[in-house]
Amino acid sequence: MAIVFERPKALLDVPTHYCPGCTHGVIHRLVAEVIDELGIIDRTAGVAPVGCSVLAYDYFACDMYEAAHGRAPAVATGIKRAVPDSIVFTYQGDGDLAAIGTAEIVHAAARGEKITTIFVNNAIYGMTGGQMAPTTLPGQVTETSPYGRDINTQGHPIRVSEMISTLDGAVYVERVSVDSVPNIIKAKKAIKKAFELQMQGKGFTMVEVLSICPTNWGLSPNESIKWLRDNMMPFYPLGVKKDITAGEVK
Amino acid sequence: MANKVLMKGNEAIGEAAIHAGCQCFFGYPITPQTEVAAYMARRMPKIGRVFLQAESEVAAINMVYGAAGAGVRVMTSSSSPGISLKAEGISYIAGAELPCVIINIVRGGPGLGGIQPAQSDYFQATKGGGHGDYRLVVYAPASIQELVDTVQEAFDVADQYRVPVMVMGDGMLGQMMEPVEFKDRNTTRNLPEKTWAANGLRGRQKHNVINSLFLKPEELEQHNRRLQAKYAEIEKNEVKYEEYNLDKEVDLTVVAYGTTSRIVKNAIKMLEKEGINIGLIRPITLWPFPSKAIEDAAEKSKYGFISVEMSEGQMVEDVKLAVNGKKPVYFYGRSGGMVPTPAEVANKIREIVGGAK
Ligand SMILES: Cc1ncc(C[n+]2csc(CCOP(=O)(O)OP(=O)(O)O)c2C)c(N)n1
Ligand code: SF4
């Protein structure tokens, strides 16, 4: 009988520590499938962030780095510059990428660093127990916005993909979601394209993935999916924000 | 005939690193070390190597982390406030046991301080700077030739022990010009292959991970013990210092490093004419510190020791620990970018020796 579904080779055969229902696992799988399909595991190096995916280096079978909070794009820059034929990706949460690591991501993108960033936006700091993130929605209740995020005192959320897509060094930026099977398929296509453009040496690529945090949102996984659709998607519209290859004849 | 060239300290650092096989340089401008970056910007691309100006010191040291993890020789350079920003990355590099070279051309602090030469980063360099139980090997050369030799040595030491190594000079050393020679050197060290490097499996079976996270306390303690054992090895093998005028009994022994030691030598010559005999111990490694040499000099030093620094008394603490109460330890220092003159140092020494006599 033909095997139609198995663990991607780029993922190690180990249990992950993610909470039940958390979509970090889905996103890991997509990245791993893409690495397998492109046949690049032999020259891939991934950079894990500080956040719930801090242990990603225990799950991916390629060479991995653990970076300081927010610094993954700088670490990735160092790897890619040192070994230009390597394929380098960072995997970062919204606290990691959009707060403490804003400078690193903006400048890696502006330099057109030939790396791929998987940006997992769950609108909250997961690992530290549900504090407000730069991506937390107006009115959203978190540990540190207990009365709902007040834009007058706590500022506005950052639409990272839109911001990064204004930078000339970014060649491909897309926001996807893993709330449904069709969207998961689209997410994988986006991740694959990002890696492919990196392999062609085009420039910086980023895929923002809307993700859920049932634990800190205080919702069941199903309710979380609904919350993502009802609240995050309208604020963070899905789709390609930038693609320098759009319109290119294939 | 040796091929001597006249070079500015900062530029000599760059050339020395290139000779040592430095493949990547990541930096950010700050006075008084900016010429290191400018030199590398000119030279590195020409020879197919990497120069990158980072957006900040924080990014620069993390680029170093990435490149070092990928297994290449890598260097960064900065001055005091920039080193404070690098402290985060240095701690991670020490934790992940990555080899790299960090240049610190020290200026006066605290805070934005000034841009004149100082030695006020001694605590930061030798006692940590970043968080956690780690050590940096810290070199403090006193001439540009020694700076060149030290930078080359630093890459070897970093690779041998898988540790970050700092070469610390003051603004004076960075800015002055002296004739130097770049010798082709073959290391006598047995440098291990970088089988731990993470730059793609390339046929390897198991993935390599560059990491400093140990969530289980037992494991982190074990990791720390291993680091300490490595540091003990470094303390055993890598202490470097110069003794000057100590082949005899002296009235007082000065401990001074870097530029300050050159000033002290002039003061010693002035005092000699008055029949005051002064010795000098010049630490070349600030960590590991030449404690044994200092302790051994206690018997020869009639009235004790004096630490002369361009800081408000940082190294004097290590001198006191080394002397361990056997003799008095005095201190003379200037700070903020004030460079002590030989006359000033001589006056202080006369005061001590005269008072004791
Ligand atoms: C310098 C530093 N500051 C703070 C922390 C604590 N910290 C750990 S994870 C985290 C938030 C991560 O949130 P996010 O990036 O959104 O990822 P998630 O956990 O939601 O996946 C913080 C603040 C740290 N480890 N290092
Ligand atoms: S805390 Fe949230 S983001 Fe983190 S693993 Fe749990 S559900 Fe996922």
Side-chain angles (χ1 to χ4, degrees), chain A residues 18 24 49-54 68-69 71 91-98 100 119-129 131 133-135 213 216, chain B residues 88 92:
Chain A
Y18 298 114
H24 263 306
V50 164
C52 279
S53 41
V54 69
H69 199 19
R71 316 294 177 227
Y91 187 104
Q92 303 178 258
D94 44 75
D96 190 76
L97 180 143
I100 194 167
F119 169 41
V120 181
N121 180 358
N122 58 13
I124 208 160
Y125 282 33
M127 175 173 248
T128 37
Q131 298 79 21
T135 46
C213 179
N216 288 303
Chain B
E88 175 199 66
Y92 280 73

Side-chain angles (χ1 to χ4, degrees), chain A residues 61-132:
Chain A
C62 55
D63 276 358
M64 291 293 293
Y65 289 68
E66 170 50 41
H69 199 19
R71 316 294 177 227
V75 172
T77 298
I79 304 166
K80 186 78 184 196
R81 297 289 181 127
V83 186
D85 81 337
S86 55
I87 305 298
V88 184
F89 73 91
T90 71
Y91 187 104
Q92 303 178 258
D94 44 75
D96 190 76
L97 180 143
I100 194 167
T102 322
E104 284 79 7
I105 195 66
V106 165
H107 288 276
R111 282 193 304 268
E113 216 57 67
K114 292 163 191 65
I115 61 171
T116 297
T117 290
I118 309 300
F119 169 41
V120 181
N121 180 358
N122 58 13
I124 208 160
Y125 282 33
M127 175 173 248
T128 37
Q131 298 79 21
M132 189 183 82

Side-chain angles (χ1 to χ4, degrees), chain A residues 22-183:
Chain A
C22 178
T23 36
H24 263 306
V26 176
I27 304 165
H28 276 28
R29 188 180 166 99
L30 296 182
V31 174
E33 285 179 3
V34 165
I35 292 173
D36 279 6
E37 284 170 25
L38 295 173
I40 51 172
I41 192 162
D42 236 29
R43 56 186 175 121
T44 297
V47 187
V50 164
C52 279
S53 41
V54 69
L55 295 177
Y57 58 79
D58 276 343
Y59 309 145
F60 284 101
C62 55
D63 276 358
M64 291 293 293
Y65 289 68
E66 170 50 41
H69 199 19
R71 316 294 177 227
V75 172
T77 298
I79 304 166
K80 186 78 184 196
R81 297 289 181 127
V83 186
D85 81 337
S86 55
I87 305 298
V88 184
F89 73 91
T90 71
Y91 187 104
Q92 303 178 258
D94 44 75
D96 190 76
L97 180 143
I100 194 167
T102 322
E104 284 79 7
I105 195 66
V106 165
H107 288 276
R111 282 193 304 268
E113 216 57 67
K114 292 163 191 65
I115 61 171
T116 297
T117 290
I118 309 300
F119 169 41
V120 181
N121 180 358
N122 58 13
I124 208 160
Y125 282 33
M127 175 173 248
T128 37
Q131 298 79 21
M132 189 183 82
T135 46
T136 293
L137 298 175
Q140 187 181 336
V141 172
T142 72
E143 286 278 311
T144 48
S145 56
Y147 310 112
R149 181 177 188 162
D150 175 359
I151 53 167
N152 286 314
T153 56
Q154 295 169 306
H156 297 268
I158 301 175
R159 290 185 183 89
V160 174
S161 285
E162 285 79 351
M163 178 176 79
I164 295 294
S165 65
T166 65
L167 300 168
D168 292 346
V171 296
Y172 176 67
V173 182
E174 180 166 352
R175 183 181 292 120
V176 298
S177 166
V178 285
D179 65 300
S180 67
V181 173
N183 276 343

